[in-house]
Amino acid sequence: MPDRKTVLTCAQPTGQLHLGNYFGAIRNWANMIDDYECFFGIVDQHAITMPYEPAELRKSTYRMVAAYVACGLDPAKCHLFAQSHIIGHTELAWILGCLCPLGQLERMTQYKEKSQRENAGFVGSGLLYYPVLMAADILLYNADRVPVGEDQKQHLELCRDLAIKFNNTYSETFRVPSVDIPKTGARIRSLQDPERKMSKSDANQNGCVYLLDPPAVIRKKFKSAVTDSGREIVAREDKPGISNLLNIYSAATGRSIEKLEAENAGVSYGDFKSKVAEAVVDLLSPIQERFEAIVNDKDQLNGILAEGAKAAQKVAFKTLSKVHRKVGFVERPRI
Ligand code: TYM
């Protein structure tokens, strides 16, 4: 369909998707595929900025394609692609990097956190450069909307800064994307430490619920979720554990937090945790079935990536040649 606005967003194929990725991101993406031209990337080039296993990365990339489809990203309606298949992401990142102040990258929260972790070991310059590559992912597609969870806000702001800087330096080229964060689910927290976001790098894996966790594991993780002192079931700043559970319950059932607070007045914390667990099990069962039906079909997964690459590369080449012209590179010879 012509003239549809463009959505671009991505996730890293590192390990498995968890509830935070689903509520904060992928579920909202699935709601956009009927109305927008959607590009959903699996950013394998970002995934090599931290120590990793090549065989695992390959496997995770395929599993991510299957997970995208299982979560409702129908490849007949949107483009699913692997970042490394597209010529343009790293090329544009180089050009944007030449406009990006080093100090701004050194001040990025994620860089500071990851490079200063006790067990960080080797810190490659790719980690520092990560947000520039992310800006290139977005600007290469001239995206109108970039739906992400709360944790990506600072990266999105840098992308906006770079788009504006490029436009001011070379003349109007890029659309400046808006920050597009959902109202519910934007920040799902760890079940074990609700002060921190749910993350696959959580030291205590009981805090992180994966989309493919079997029902018994999901129930166990919720059973061991930390709650707060007192007995009330209300979302309040001094009740981070219960607030997080209410947030998850609301995201899983589509019912408002206020309604859930009223319905659960007087329910014990133990029973409340079981109810949240059942809502999550019900939500994830059909996703898990769809995932299992496709994950071992390599031909189908490769076909999906090939279709996605075709569509993405077309847009990427167009933007890249425009950018090359603007920055003063001479015309590329046909070879
Ligand atoms: P990644 O792979 O860490 O996460 C994918 C998406 O999931 C969201 N998310 C969460 N939302 C709510 N609560 C949580 N606990 C939670 N954890 C993760 C993230 O906000 C994200 O939307 N840098 C990005 C990948 C990326 C990208 C891009 C995104 C690379 N290029 C271009 C958008 C556009 C990342 O590491 O996401």
Side-chain angles (χ1 to χ4, degrees):
M1 212 195 288
D3 294 323
R4 290 204 301 180
K5 290 198 164 179
T6 300
V7 165
L8 173 287
T9 189
C10 308
Q12 291 194 65
T14 38
Q16 287 194 45
L17 292 171
H18 54 69
L19 272 188
N21 298 130
Y22 184 67
F23 290 139
I26 298 175
R27 186 168 68 169
N28 310 306
W29 308 353
N31 290 330
M32 298 174 139
I33 59 178
D34 286 321
D35 302 323
Y36 293 86
E37 189 74 29
C38 291
F39 294 89
F40 300 123
I42 298 172
V43 285
D44 45 5
Q45 290 169 325
H46 278 97
I48 66 171
T49 55
M50 293 291 279
Y52 75 104
E53 272 294 326
E56 269 309 307
L57 175 62
R58 200 168 295 121
K59 198 166 135 203
S60 295
T61 303
Y62 281 122
R63 288 173 72 82
M64 188 72 114
V65 184
Y68 272 8
V69 175
C71 289
L73 305 182
D74 178 354
K77 295 182 174 178
C78 58
H79 313 295
L80 309 183
F81 68 94
Q83 184 185 32
S84 63
H85 287 174
I86 312 301
I87 298 169
H89 290 253
T90 50
E91 285 77 2
L92 181 56
W94 178 259
I95 294 167
L96 295 174
C98 293
L99 291 174
C100 184
L102 182 58
Q104 198 170 359
L105 294 181
E106 285 167 338
R107 285 193 299 274
M108 298 298 278
T109 313
Q110 194 167 303
Y111 169 71
K112 285 199 287 190
E113 270 176 20
K114 288 190 173 173
S115 61
Q116 285 165 14
R117 258 181 216 159
E118 258 169 64
N119 57 355
F122 167 77
V123 178
S125 37
L127 189 63
L128 179 71
Y129 211 66
Y130 181 112
V132 182
L133 181 57
M134 179 160 160
D137 299 337
I138 296 165
L139 300 181
L140 197 57
Y141 298 88
N142 246 322
D144 295 279
R145 294 185 64 180
V146 186
V148 286
E150 175 87 35
D151 61 329
Q152 297 300 317
K153 194 166 168 221
Q154 197 183 31
H155 288 157
L156 248 290
E157 278 159 1
L158 179 84
C159 173
R160 287 168 54 84
D161 288 350
L162 290 176
I164 293 168
K165 190 146 186 207
F166 187 100
N167 290 347
N168 288 343
T169 308
Y170 296 109
S171 82
E172 201 63 26
T173 307
F174 293 121
R175 190 169 286 133
V176 181
S178 52
V179 178
D180 198 346
I181 293 170
K183 285 195 183 64
T184 48
R187 193 172 178 85
I188 301 295
R189 294 159 186 279
S190 161
L191 298 186
Q192 291 296 321
D193 181 1
E195 301 296 336
R196 302 172 66 94
K197 72 171 181 179
M198 183 176 284
S199 157
K200 53 204 155 208
S201 46
D202 203 328
N204 184 340
Q205 283 291 300
N206 278 331
C208 184
V209 177
Y210 294 104
L211 297 195
L212 301 173
D213 276 345
V217 173
I218 296 173
R219 291 188 182 107
K220 193 176 127 251
K221 287 182 176 173
F222 276 100
K223 201 168 182 181
S224 72
V226 303
T227 48
D228 314 293
S229 55
R231 328 179 62 162
E232 285 164 292
I233 295 182
V234 286
R236 238 179 23 216
E237 222 164 275
D238 64 333
K239 288 191 160 290
I242 289 294
S243 301
N244 188 37
L245 290 170
L246 273 166
N247 198 15
I248 292 173
Y249 201 11
S250 168
T253 57
R255 301 215 297 277
S256 72
I257 300 234
E258 295 74 30
K259 221 176 201 165
L260 294 172
E261 285 172 344
E263 276 171 24
N264 289 284
V267 172
S268 73
Y269 279 176
D271 288 347
F272 179 63
K273 289 197 279 187
S274 303
K275 286 171 81 173
V276 182
E278 289 318 308
V280 171
V281 167
D282 288 348
L283 176 85
L284 296 185
S285 297
I287 294 177
Q288 296 181 351
E289 276 169 33
R290 288 195 293 269
F291 177 84
E292 290 305 332
I294 184 180
V295 70
N296 293 319
D297 189 343
K298 258 306 171 43
D299 288 346
Q300 193 181 347
L301 299 177
N302 278 325
I304 290 170
L305 288 177
E307 281 302 313
K310 235 188 265 171
Q313 189 64 76
K314 212 168 136 194
V315 182
F317 272 146
K318 214 169 135 195
T319 309
L320 198 60
S321 77
K322 188 172 176 187
V323 167
H324 278 195
R325 220 176 330 109
K326 297 260 181 151
V327 304
F329 294 167
V330 297
E331 200 179 331
R332 196 182 227 137
R334 292 190 187 280
I335 27 177

